Amino acid sequence: MKKYITSIASAIILTSCATQKNDVSMAKVEPEKYADFTLNTDASQLSENDQKMLPYLFEVAKIMDELFWYEAYGKKEALLNYLKGDKEKFAVINYGPWDRLNNDAPFIKGIGAKPAGANFYPTTMTKEEFEAANLKDGKSLYTFVRRDMNGNLYTIPYHEMFPKEIERAAKLMEKAAQFAETKDFKTYLLKRAQALRTDDYYESDLAWMNMKDNHLDFIVGPIETYEDQLFGYKASHEAYILVKDQEWSKKLEKYAQFLPELQANLPVANEYKAEKPGSDADLNAYDVIYYAGHSNAGSKTIAINLPNDERVQLEKGTRRLQLKNAMRAKFDKILKPISELLIDPKQRKNVTFDAFFANTMFHEVAHGLGIKNTINGKGSVRQSLKEHASALEEGKADILGLYMVNQLVNKNELEGDIKDYMTTFMAGIFRSVRFGASSAHGVANMIRFNYFKEKKAFTQNADGTYTLNYENLKTAMNDLSKEILTLQGNGDYNGVAALVEKYGKIPSGLQTDLDRLNQKGIPVDINFIQGLNVYKK
């Protein structure tokens, strides 16, 4: 890393935050929001070569973790050396001094509001200044924006900002590739190592799509753009180490074949579903044994849909990875207790793990449906909707995932009662809305709760529990699907902003319910106990 840049940027972010301290309220230090859970798997299914590869992958993941600290906050050591006990633990969970599950409120005195652009941009930069600068590669996923000595904006590619770290990670991946037991896995590791060096991920994304038979999987690099809440342009470094569950994956194979039919049947005008999802998509289940960087910050993902590159999605599709052990942890420790407090006793039996698994899986599948490029020449949906793109995309995936479940149950291609899926989906809203307004998933769930309430998809009883009206929920599901797909296809930034303004806030009644969950000590998310020494059962 270029230390002089790091030092200057860290000083700027710390100073800038401190000057804003009167503009924000302090959050509590609450590590108990997170239930500890050990990430492990049945290591006997891994070969000797897999076992030899793992130490290299863990080291690469740790490097991604350090890079994300810089992207999210600045200089990690300057913060953690200052903290002790619960404050230090909470800062590690949040990758900085802001509570990600409380709208990024600071929990350390002297620290102000989190910059919307995190550490990707100068904290003194305005949106208007950025747009006026018209920087080469300014909207690239893989550049930082900085000021020169004269105060002018310029960009630095990631691989130039982190030269030593990137080179070390790439060499470790090349060493790991020596132990790959399939040609496709070896090819991916080598191409991904080179991609880290160049910030050109297209070929490595294609190589990752070609992997089918390897037990180990490794997702690494700058991937998701949620951390950039200024524009949603900049990708954050992260990593996952995964072990494929062969038995569960076999059960999921058949669903990929329905994607073209499901796309064609979406409840929206034809021009908003004209793109065809790639035919090489697949669904698999995994035990995850390590999260690093963005994926480990605050609320933890329990399923993955990648690559994000629209070119790869249209050419090859995406891979959907269900993280079964992490999913089970959230169901047992969070979703089930929530349902016992907030769902009508007569409908609680309809909250099941199988429905939770399917809803989560089809959420990821639904990311591949709809449209990636606007129908009116505004470019990609992501760039047109800017900082609102992520929240709307998550909202689309949630509601279209339920739509797909309903379609497949009606076709007798998915077992179970649709009431199970819908009731579990509603309980899932209460779980995810607790992530807050700083989370794309949190905003998406706020929108959906308020939209469902307006459409009378549920009623609240005198005892505070919720009863679902399944027919009204189906109508709301179709209407919201159409609205979101239309906004995306039109690249309607103002329309999305209006949707977020109208529906993206927690009403007082719901806040009372969320407070009840907190009073009962129901955790909001998971904190992983993980590492090379703990992954074996």
Side-chain angles (χ1 to χ4, degrees), residues 7-143:
S7 300
I8 292 171
S10 301
I12 290 173
I13 192 168
L14 287 168
T15 303
S16 175
C17 291
T19 60
Q20 301 175 48
K21 63 184 178 182
N22 294 325
D23 299 330
V24 293
S25 57
M26 294 290 291
K28 297 178 182 178
V29 176
E30 299 178 289
E32 66 275 7
K33 283 184 177 181
Y34 296 84
D36 286 344
F37 180 77
T38 299
L39 287 180
N40 53 30
T41 191
D42 179 5
S44 66
Q45 64 189 299
L46 298 176
S47 69
E48 183 178 349
N49 278 346
D50 289 335
Q51 302 280 7
K52 290 179 179 178
M53 182 186 293
L54 278 174
Y56 296 106
L57 302 186
F58 276 102
E59 285 302 311
V60 175
K62 290 176 182 177
I63 293 171
M64 298 301 111
D65 205 67
E66 293 300 316
L67 300 188
F68 178 68
W69 258 103
Y70 174 73
E71 291 159 347
Y73 172 70
K75 207 164 187 177
K76 170 185 175 182
E77 294 78 8
L79 176 67
L80 297 187
N81 289 342
Y82 169 72
L83 304 176
K84 305 278 187 211
D86 282 350
K87 284 188 177 180
E88 181 181 12
K89 180 179 180 180
F90 206 44
V92 169
I93 290 172
N94 285 282
Y95 288 77
W98 302 285
D99 184 353
R100 290 173 179 269
L101 300 185
N102 187 16
N103 305 326
D104 283 329
F107 54 86
I108 297 172
K109 290 182 179 179
I111 297 290
K114 182 179 180 181
N119 199 18
F120 296 112
Y121 310 88
T123 57
T124 56
M125 185 198 79
T126 64
K127 283 187 173 184
E128 292 75 17
E129 182 184 11
F130 176 84
E131 297 288 3
N134 195 25
L135 297 170
K136 181 179 184 292
D137 298 326
K139 296 180 181 180
S140 165
L141 293 167
Y142 314 119
T143 62

Side-chain angles (χ1 to χ4, degrees), residues 14 72 88 106 112 140 144 159 172 181 206 233 271 291 340 353 500 505:
L14 287 168
E88 181 181 12
S140 165
F144 288 93
H159 68 276
L172 286 166
E181 294 185 331
L206 290 176
Y233 293 154
E271 59 265 34
Y291 286 71
E340 290 168 357
F353 177 73
V500 172
K505 296 182 176 67

Side-chain angles (χ1 to χ4, degrees), residues 390-455:
S390 293
L392 195 68
E393 176 61 23
E394 292 306 324
K396 180 202 81 173
D398 279 335
I399 201 67
L400 287 190
L402 185 62
Y403 170 84
M404 293 168 69
V405 164
N406 186 55
Q407 293 282 304
L408 292 170
V409 168
N410 289 340
K411 288 167 59 68
N412 295 317
E413 294 291 351
L414 184 64
E415 295 179 358
D417 187 337
I418 190 60
K419 293 179 181 178
D420 291 354
Y421 298 103
M422 288 188 165
T423 310
T424 304
F425 186 87
M426 186 67 195
I429 292 178
F430 296 121
R431 179 183 73 86
S432 298
V433 78
R434 298 172 83 197
F435 298 157
S438 65
S439 160
H441 296 80
V443 173
N445 279 274
M446 292 176 206
I447 291 171
R448 193 159 49 257
F449 177 88
N450 288 312
Y451 194 94
F452 282 2
K453 182 178 181 180
E454 184 179 278
K455 298 289 185 177

Side-chain angles (χ1 to χ4, degrees), residues 11-12 85 109 123 169 178 236 245 289 291 301 312 330 336 356 358 371 373 396 422 447 470 484 504 526:
I12 290 173
K109 290 182 179 179
T123 57
Q178 299 173 26
S236 299
D245 186 316
I289 58 175
Y291 286 71
T301 187
V312 180
K330 292 206 182 188
K336 194 67 174 172
F356 182 53
I371 201 162
N373 297 292
K396 180 202 81 173
M422 288 188 165
I447 291 171
Y470 296 109
I484 289 176
I526 304 295

